[in-house]
Amino acid sequence: MFRTITALAGVSFIAFAPIGVTAEPVNVSDFNLAPRIAEKVASGEALNIMVSYHDVSNEFAPFVKQGVAKADAELNANARFIGPVGADADGQISEIETLLGEIDGLAISAVSTDALSPLIDRVIDAGIPVISYNTDNPDSKRLVFAGQDLVQSGRDAGEQMVKVLGGEGRVMITTIDAAAQWSLDREGGAREVLEASDGIEVVRTLNTGTDPQEIYAAIENAMLADPGITGILSLECCSTPAAGEWVKRNGQAGKIKVVGFDLLDQTVDLVADEVVQVTIDQAPARQGYEAVNLLVQFLNGETIDDLDTGVGIFTPENIDSAM
């Protein structure tokens, strides 16, 4: 069962500005809207908003989908959560192209910024508004971005790792997709902080892949190969619980520190058991909701801007609020 996190007592969500390359506030009056969409807006007809996620099979996706479903129920929109199974850029492009004739607004979290930016530009040129969410495409014509400042959240994770290690240790960074832009952004922020700390050595970045068993095996093999690692910093939802589980199974709780992301059930339990020291929430349900909401606002004449969903830092001291 997935937990829906809305407002949590005792947790501070901190928003940072700017988010990477910020967009200018934008209004539909300055946008060459496709005539068919303009007619729907004028008639008050419900808008078809597609929210494309880069891998609907991963464990983070259901949280985003919850937010999209909430927007579908509350807003004047037919909101659909779509995307490829597995991180498949061609599959994401093909699905969007197939649905183009019925899309009134598109929110996209891209598998690859390089691969998806030309498609975003074509959709914009066709008079269909596009925003990015969760992971940004700042070099495309996308209108605005809704989500966590990924570089800053990487810095936050790095700061938490330095803190729990007491300023000294050997750190391995883990990620399910080292080439993805969200991963590169977070890793850049994390390394900026870690490498500025004299007592911290970043030994490697481990690309685990997305299959749960492969994630665990990759971490296990890396730890066996280098038993001197004292900290594991995960950049996303899915290698965080795997790292914690390895630490727990091998009796290393409290000796090897784990800092990661998101509030999967297993991660929450591992934090409560003090196996994972810190996990950082990025409000995925809010990201899904706001992706739809921003497009509905834009199409109805409201000026929109980048929206930072902030960071929520959870430790054993406040994890009860997420349980």
Side-chain angles (χ1 to χ4, degrees):
M1 185 176 80
F2 292 94
R3 298 182 176 92
T4 302
I5 308 301
T6 51
L8 296 172
V11 181
S12 297
F13 274 82
I14 305 168
F16 298 89
I19 304 177
V21 179
T22 56
E24 294 293 329
V26 60
N27 189 279
V28 71
S29 61
D30 300 316
F31 184 80
N32 188 22
L33 193 63
R36 67 169 180 82
I37 302 175
E39 290 175 7
K40 289 185 73 172
V41 173
S43 69
E45 187 178 345
L47 300 160
N48 293 326
I49 306 297
M50 304 295 178
V51 181
S52 178
Y53 186 64
H54 57 263
D55 179 4
V56 298
S57 65
N58 77 29
E59 292 179 272
F60 187 79
F63 293 94
V64 180
K65 188 176 182 180
Q66 287 174 354
V68 176
K70 184 173 186 287
D72 178 73
E74 294 182 358
L75 305 175
N76 186 29
N78 298 315
R80 274 179 63 188
F81 184 70
I82 63 174
V85 175
D88 179 2
D90 290 338
Q92 190 172 28
I93 291 168
S94 177
E95 181 178 41
I96 292 169
E97 288 179 335
T98 299
L99 295 170
L100 209 54
E102 59 185 280
I103 295 175
D104 300 324
L106 174 66
I108 185 166
S109 172
V111 171
S112 160
T113 55
D114 290 342
L116 272 295
S117 286
L119 173 66
I120 290 171
D121 292 350
R122 292 201 309 272
V123 177
I124 287 280
D125 291 342
I128 302 169
V130 182
I131 70 164
S132 57
Y133 78 101
N134 185 251
T135 183
D136 199 8
N137 286 72
D139 295 328
S140 72
K141 295 179 181 179
R142 63 94 171 113
L143 301 177
V144 298
F145 171 65
Q148 190 175 77
D149 182 330
L150 296 168
V151 175
Q152 181 60 50
S153 67
R155 294 187 190 112
D156 294 332
E159 288 170 0
Q160 292 297 319
M161 179 56 78
V162 172
K163 180 179 178 181
V164 299
L165 286 175
E168 294 185 358
R170 302 178 71 248
V171 176
M172 176 173 69
I173 295 172
T174 66
T175 174
I176 61 173
D177 188 355
Q181 191 62 47
W182 59 262
S183 181
L184 294 170
D185 288 346
R186 278 222 182 105
E187 181 177 353
R191 280 183 176 271
E192 178 185 322
V193 171
L194 294 171
E195 292 170 358
S197 180
D198 292 339
I200 301 292
E201 177 190 358
V202 181
V203 298
R204 67 178 297 185
T205 296
L206 178 68
N207 189 21
T208 65
T210 59
D211 178 79
Q213 291 183 343
E214 291 178 0
I215 294 170
Y216 184 88
I219 291 171
E220 181 174 52
N221 291 336
M223 296 302 291
L224 289 172
D226 189 347
I229 291 169
T230 57
I232 304 173
L233 192 158
S234 165
L235 298 177
E236 31 57 39
C237 66
C238 305
S239 65
T240 301
E245 189 62 28
W246 185 88
V247 168
K248 183 177 180 179
R249 290 183 187 180
N250 288 273
Q252 298 298 307
K255 299 175 184 177
I256 297 175
K257 310 295 186 180
V258 181
V259 172
F261 279 83
D262 300 315
L263 292 170
L264 299 185
D265 286 357
Q266 188 179 4
T267 299
V268 170
D269 292 339
L270 289 165
V271 174
D273 292 340
E274 301 186 28
V275 176
V276 171
Q277 279 63 50
V278 180
T279 192
I280 298 175
D281 183 34
Q282 57 180 316
R286 185 186 176 200
Q287 288 185 18
Y289 182 90
E290 295 295 353
V292 178
N293 190 35
L294 283 169
L295 285 163
V296 171
Q297 289 177 337
F298 176 77
L299 287 164
N300 283 287
E302 297 183 42
T303 297
I304 62 172
D305 202 350
D306 285 343
L307 189 153
D308 187 346
T309 55
V311 298
I313 295 176
F314 289 84
T315 67
E317 287 69 37
N318 68 350
I319 196 65
D320 283 352
S321 62
M323 298 183 71

